[in-house]
Amino acid sequence: MTEGHAPAPGPADETHAGRPASTTTGSTGTTGGTGGTSRTSLRAGTTRAQGGRPTDRPRALTAAGLVDGLVLVALLGVVAVGFGPAWGTTGYLLPALGGAAAGLLVAWLGAWLRWSVLLTAAATVLAYFLLGGALALPGTAIAGVVPTGATLSELAVGAVHGWKSFVTTVPPLSSFEELAVVPYLLMLLTGVLAGTIAWRSRVAAWALLPVVVALTAVALLGTILPAYPLVQGLVVAVVGLLWASWRAAETRMGANRLLSEASRSATRRLRAQRVRGGAVLLGLGGIAAVLVSPLLGQGERVVLRELITPPLDLHQYTSPLVGFRTYTKDLDETELFTVTGMPADGRVRLATLDSYAGTVYDAGSGGGSGVFNRAGDVIDTVAAGTPTPVQVTVTGYSGVWLPDVGQLGGIRFTGERADELAASTYYNATSGTGVVTAGLRPGDAYELDAIVSPPPSEEDLAEVPILETDLPKPQDVADAVPGKAQQFAADATDPFERLLNIRDTLVATGVYSSGLENQPASRPGHSAARIDTLLAQDEMVGDDEQFAVALALMARQAGIPARVVMGFYPEKDALKPGAPYVVTGADVHAWVEVPFEGYGWVPFDVVPDEDNKVEPLPRSKQVPKPPVLESPETPEEPPQAEAGDVEDEKDDEEAEGIDWRQVAIIAVAVAVPLAIVALPVLLLLAYKARRRGRRRSAPVPVDRVSGGWREVVDVATDLGAGVPRAATRREGARLLVTQLPSAAPDATTGLAHRADRTVFGGGEPTQAEIDEYWAEVDALVGTLHAGLPWRKRVAARLSLRSVRGADAPPARAVVRGWVRAVPAAFGRAGRAMARPLHDRMARARRRRARRQEDR
């Protein structure tokens, strides 16, 4: 140390010297005895002088930090709700909310202990693996809590590949425990990032960025059916913006602490203005949602599972339609599988084929063909109807195509290969086709939750339009298809009529033959050359394979979306109700499906009549045209509408144009947050009203009078008067008169005296005396409120002082004590855990020091 350059005294030196840490004179501040007048020293000195609290105290240990944590809990909870539609049950809540809580805990510890970025990241990874067994994979953990090697392995793999499986699995995902890693990890990372920014960054509004990113990610990982988009958006927007504005205002007031703390009334007005602004913002947000949401909700929701094609290569599996003749010729008497519990009008579907490339009709993927996703015990479906359990036992069938019935609501395998088959099962909910990549073989069994809708009649279908569907465009179609499609459709212009004309012509003029003995010669296959030969012959000879493909291709040529389905169904009236259906190769069929509004995909059989024989027909009758419908007579013009009818029709159209369901949803979305905010107020008012009612209707008449005096004391307590519970009625009356100028002395003391005479007197008061006493109580209470502004009257009605007692400590002090006690308890626990390590390190240092001294 050189002479004349003494170091500036620190805070400890100033304290020992008996000087205050900082002093302020006018507009300048001095720090100790150094004479510094910087703004930093002024602000630091003011903080120490007023609060006695060190300026470097972590925000996570303050009451404001507690508010930040509560806001983040609300925001993350709203984000986690978005996993509901994809998961199907409430099982996602434990991994999602548990991950969010774990992330906030890591962020809080990092903010409290001032961890570096690397240490916080290491703590996040450690929490992910330690808590992953209990929160995401309890089935692999010991007692559902302690992680095992399998738990750690699945957590590591799920963090990388779980996202792909999450969007390529058929919802609901509750059947796949390993997929819980995705919501657990997403919410864990969001909690760490949002909490770290909120508790450690000066610009706290950046904490909303991870929340918004997580909300977007949850929407993309979900289904086209959202959870509560309006509620989620309103809560995140309103609560997030209010919190961000509050943090910005607190930062500004902290930068000017001298001015803000010198005017407490201004601070209170500013906070009240924020509350009012928040309520106005919430109301404006609800109104904007009502007006804008119908416009935003017109498009289809974009989710990843509808855009990403799963990694299932269907081209490695041969189309089952290629082996159609194998069933009819070689396996006609072979028992393929037994179906138990098949509903009436049910068909066993083997595969739906909608992609034609000139040689084979194959199963498509993507677009209108749908996608193949992993399937489990529960499959999300929009099909109407009650699922029926159907058991399938494989006896002579083998292959990757899964025989199923109707639309599936779930599939459960049994037997020795159950786990292997379940892990390799994919299902396309759009086409109703299932694929088991491990392959089915004799001895396998499974149960289906089948939904079978009764087929509509042709009269019903004529009343609804055919839906437009984006199916793959047929390639290399036979040359005869366009001309025959136009010829068979005749003069019909309606799509449904054109479809029926084409089908009826094929049925009426075709000859059925599978190339068996005693049947006309018929080549197998459905290539472009085979279909060209079929349509070019005078007698169209073939079986379901050729006729179904021909109908589908001609329907596509006529602008009608159609697809071919291969499956099995018994002859009419051959299956008794309730009896098992033993499927043989002779039951194989192929049919065409066309989508109709309100009915979905409707099957159309195109099997030629058995009476049709190969007989040359005259040229003029080779292709009979269906009868042409006569044009209907032109309807008479309606009488001229009377004046005012047009306006009435416009009013009706406008009324019908309002989507009241959407308005109701938006109203609920706005009302729920308001109800949550208003619930504590309503509960408090209800409690006070019930307390007054119980006092006035007490079973003992004397208690009704004493209850009236207690009502006066409680009202006065809420208005700010302090009456100890141990005070007598006359002492309380004197205190009320002294503390409340609006309290009439004669009326107040008179009520106290009357209550004493009634309680300590010998007789019982009559009901008339009780009513008169309560009328005076109501008059005095009205007088107490009449002399106050409306804000104080409202504050008194919402006050908790009478509930807690006038001599109870303030609620703010209680909350402050809790906030300080919790971090202190964690600190003591942390120090107790770290003390052995600290002592061991100290002993090691002393040993090294002694060894160095000995040397």
Side-chain angles (χ1 to χ4, degrees):
M1 182 183 299
T2 60
E3 186 176 355
H5 293 278
D13 299 329
E14 296 171 358
T15 303
H16 291 302
R19 296 191 303 270
S22 65
T23 60
T24 59
T25 303
S27 61
T28 62
T30 61
T31 305
T34 63
T37 59
S38 65
R39 181 177 298 178
T40 304
S41 62
L42 175 63
R43 191 180 306 154
T46 304
T47 303
R48 289 193 295 269
Q50 294 186 0
R53 187 179 62 186
T55 57
D56 59 349
R57 186 183 184 190
R59 180 180 178 85
L61 302 181
T62 63
L66 176 63
V67 175
D68 297 338
L70 294 177
V71 170
L72 292 179
V73 168
L75 295 179
L76 294 180
V78 169
V79 172
V81 171
F83 285 107
W87 204 259
T89 65
T90 57
Y92 72 95
L93 292 177
L94 178 61
L97 298 182
L104 291 177
L105 179 59
V106 171
W108 185 84
L109 291 175
W112 172 33
L113 302 177
R114 301 183 186 280
W115 288 344
S116 63
V117 175
L118 293 179
L119 189 56
T120 303
T124 303
V125 175
L126 183 63
Y128 172 72
F129 284 101
L130 288 181
L131 302 178
L135 298 177
L137 302 173
T140 63
I142 300 175
V145 176
V146 181
T148 61
T151 304
L152 301 180
S153 175
E154 290 195 19
L155 287 172
V157 174
V160 179
H161 299 288
W163 311 92
K164 179 182 68 175
S165 300
F166 199 89
V167 297
T168 57
T169 301
V170 177
L173 310 179
S174 55
S175 302
F176 308 95
E177 181 187 19
E178 69 275 9
L179 297 182
V181 173
V182 173
Y184 168 63
L185 178 57
L186 178 62
M187 300 307 297
L188 173 68
L189 295 178
T190 306
V192 171
L193 294 176
T196 301
I197 297 173
W199 284 317
R200 305 182 71 171
S201 176
R202 293 184 178 179
V203 185
W206 284 108
L208 297 178
L209 181 60
V211 176
V212 174
V213 171
L215 182 63
T216 305
V218 171
L220 292 175
L221 292 172
T223 64
I224 58 176
L225 300 176
Y228 306 98
L230 293 178
V231 177
Q232 291 176 286
L234 282 177
V235 172
V236 171
V238 175
V239 175
L241 291 178
L242 288 178
W243 174 74
S245 65
W246 172 72
R247 283 296 304 269
E250 291 293 326
T251 302
R252 290 195 300 270
M253 288 190 295
N256 301 277
R257 195 171 182 82
L258 284 174
L259 296 177
S260 61
E261 292 186 355
S263 179
R264 296 183 178 180
S265 60
T267 303
R268 287 195 297 268
R269 289 196 300 270
L270 180 59
R271 290 174 177 170
Q273 184 178 0
R274 287 198 214 109
V275 174
R276 291 193 297 269
V280 172
L281 185 60
L282 181 61
L284 293 178
I287 295 174
V290 172
L291 298 177
V292 177
S293 60
L295 301 177
L296 298 179
Q298 292 178 357
E300 186 174 307
R301 192 183 189 207
V302 178
V303 293
L304 293 179
R305 66 181 65 252
E306 298 295 328
L307 300 177
I308 297 178
T309 301
L312 177 63
D313 186 12
L314 293 175
H315 295 90
Q316 61 181 319
Y317 308 117
T318 304
S319 171
L321 195 60
V322 174
F324 188 89
R325 287 286 176 93
T326 302
Y327 290 98
T328 58
K329 297 182 68 174
D330 302 334
L331 303 174
D332 58 327
E333 296 182 357
T334 302
E335 295 183 0
L336 302 177
F337 42 83
T338 302
V339 181
T340 305
M342 188 171 72
D345 301 324
R347 300 187 178 197
V348 178
R349 179 189 300 264
L350 192 61
T352 300
L353 314 170
D354 51 18
S355 177
Y356 187 76
T359 54
V360 176
Y361 231 124
D362 214 337
S365 180
S369 301
V371 292
F372 284 83
N373 295 318
R374 286 184 59 193
D377 295 349
V378 180
I379 299 175
D380 195 10
T381 178
V382 296
T386 303
T388 301
V390 177
Q391 293 79 28
V392 180
T393 303
V394 181
T395 53
Y397 169 79
S398 61
V400 298
W401 303 98
L402 177 73
D404 58 49
V405 179
Q407 289 290 323
L408 297 189
I411 177 172
R412 292 169 294 278
F413 288 93
T414 58
E416 298 179 355
R417 304 178 63 221
D419 295 338
E420 178 186 1
L421 296 176
S424 61
T425 299
Y426 293 80
Y427 183 68
N428 187 333
T430 302
S431 64
T433 304
V435 174
V436 182
T437 58
L440 292 174
R441 62 192 185 199
D444 295 333
Y446 52 92
E447 180 179 355
L448 307 173
D449 291 333
I451 303 175
V452 178
S453 301
S457 63
E458 294 185 359
E459 290 77 9
D460 296 333
L461 296 177
E463 302 295 331
V464 296
I466 297 177
L467 295 176
E468 294 292 336
T469 305
D470 183 21
L471 295 178
K473 184 178 180 181
Q475 304 293 330
D476 299 330
V477 180
D479 296 336
V481 169
K484 290 296 183 180
Q486 183 64 34
Q487 181 182 0
F488 290 0
D491 298 330
T493 58
D494 180 72
F496 182 60
E497 292 182 9
R498 294 170 66 86
L499 175 66
L500 293 184
N501 287 347
I502 297 173
R503 183 203 61 180
D504 294 343
T505 303
L506 290 173
V507 171
T509 61
V511 177
Y512 186 86
S513 174
S514 295
L516 302 178
E517 296 180 2
N518 301 324
Q519 288 185 345
S522 173
R523 292 191 298 111
H526 53 277
S527 63
R530 179 67 180 92
I531 300 303
D532 203 359
T533 302
L534 175 75
L535 298 178
Q537 291 177 344
D538 293 339
E539 295 85 15
M540 295 180 290
V541 180
D543 54 13
D544 298 25
E545 177 185 3
Q546 291 81 40
F547 284 107
V549 172
L551 175 58
L553 293 177
M554 285 192 285
R556 296 298 305 274
Q557 190 67 34
I560 302 170
R563 63 190 188 186
V564 177
V565 181
M566 178 178 171
F568 306 86
Y569 59 83
E571 297 295 333
K572 187 177 181 181
D573 301 330
L575 180 64
K576 297 180 180 179
Y581 173 33
V582 179
V583 181
T584 63
D587 295 329
V588 68
H589 288 283
W591 59 89
V592 175
E593 288 185 342
V594 177
F596 287 83
E597 182 177 324
Y599 296 102
W601 291 92
V602 178
F604 288 87
D605 294 320
V606 56
V607 180
D609 295 335
E610 295 180 357
D611 298 335
N612 296 345
K613 305 297 181 182
V614 179
E615 296 178 359
L617 299 176
R619 284 290 177 182
S620 60
K621 298 183 179 180
Q622 281 187 356
V623 183
K625 296 184 180 180
V628 179
L629 299 177
E630 297 182 0
S631 302
E633 297 181 1
T634 304
E636 298 181 0
E637 295 185 359
Q640 186 175 2
E642 298 178 0
D645 289 349
V646 176
E647 296 181 358
D648 295 341
E649 292 177 0
K650 290 183 178 180
D651 294 340
D652 294 341
E653 292 178 357
E654 292 178 357
E656 293 177 357
I658 300 176
D659 189 353
W660 292 108
R661 181 175 178 271
Q662 186 72 11
V663 172
I665 294 175
I666 297 172
V668 172
V670 176
V672 169
L674 293 176
I676 294 175
V677 174
L679 182 61
V681 176
L682 297 177
L683 292 177
L684 177 60
L685 295 177
Y687 170 77
K688 289 187 177 182
R690 184 172 179 271
R691 181 182 64 184
R692 173 186 172 87
R694 293 181 64 182
R695 287 171 176 173
R696 189 159 187 174
S697 60
V700 181
V702 174
D703 293 341
R704 302 175 195 170
V705 176
S706 61
W709 174 251
R710 287 305 310 166
E711 186 68 20
V712 173
V713 173
D714 286 343
V715 171
T717 300
D718 289 335
L719 292 173
V723 179
R725 293 183 181 275
T728 64
R729 295 183 182 87
R730 299 187 182 187
E731 292 173 346
R734 287 195 295 270
L735 290 174
L736 293 182
V737 172
T738 304
Q739 298 176 13
L740 298 178
S742 59
D746 295 339
T748 305
T749 56
L751 286 175
H753 284 235
R754 288 184 58 184
D756 283 343
R757 287 197 304 269
T758 303
V759 173
F760 299 109
E764 292 285 342
T766 62
Q767 185 60 40
E769 294 174 345
I770 295 173
D771 295 340
E772 180 183 357
Y773 185 83
W774 271 93
E776 295 180 7
V777 168
D778 294 338
L780 179 57
V781 169
T783 303
L784 295 178
H785 283 98
L788 299 176
W790 69 270
R791 293 184 179 178
K792 290 188 176 181
R793 292 199 301 269
V794 173
R797 296 186 184 278
L798 302 179
S799 175
L800 292 172
R801 295 188 73 239
S802 64
V803 179
R804 302 178 62 250
D807 48 359
R812 184 177 301 176
V814 175
V815 174
R816 189 182 298 114
W818 290 347
V819 173
R820 293 178 179 176
V822 172
F826 278 106
R828 288 193 298 270
R831 287 192 295 271
M833 296 173 60
R835 187 176 296 112
L837 179 61
H838 181 272
D839 295 343
R840 185 179 301 173
M841 296 175 63
R843 289 195 296 270
R845 287 195 298 269
R846 289 195 294 270
R847 285 195 297 270
R848 286 195 299 269
R850 285 197 297 269
R851 283 197 296 268
Q852 292 177 359
E853 291 176 359
D854 294 341
R855 294 176 183 174

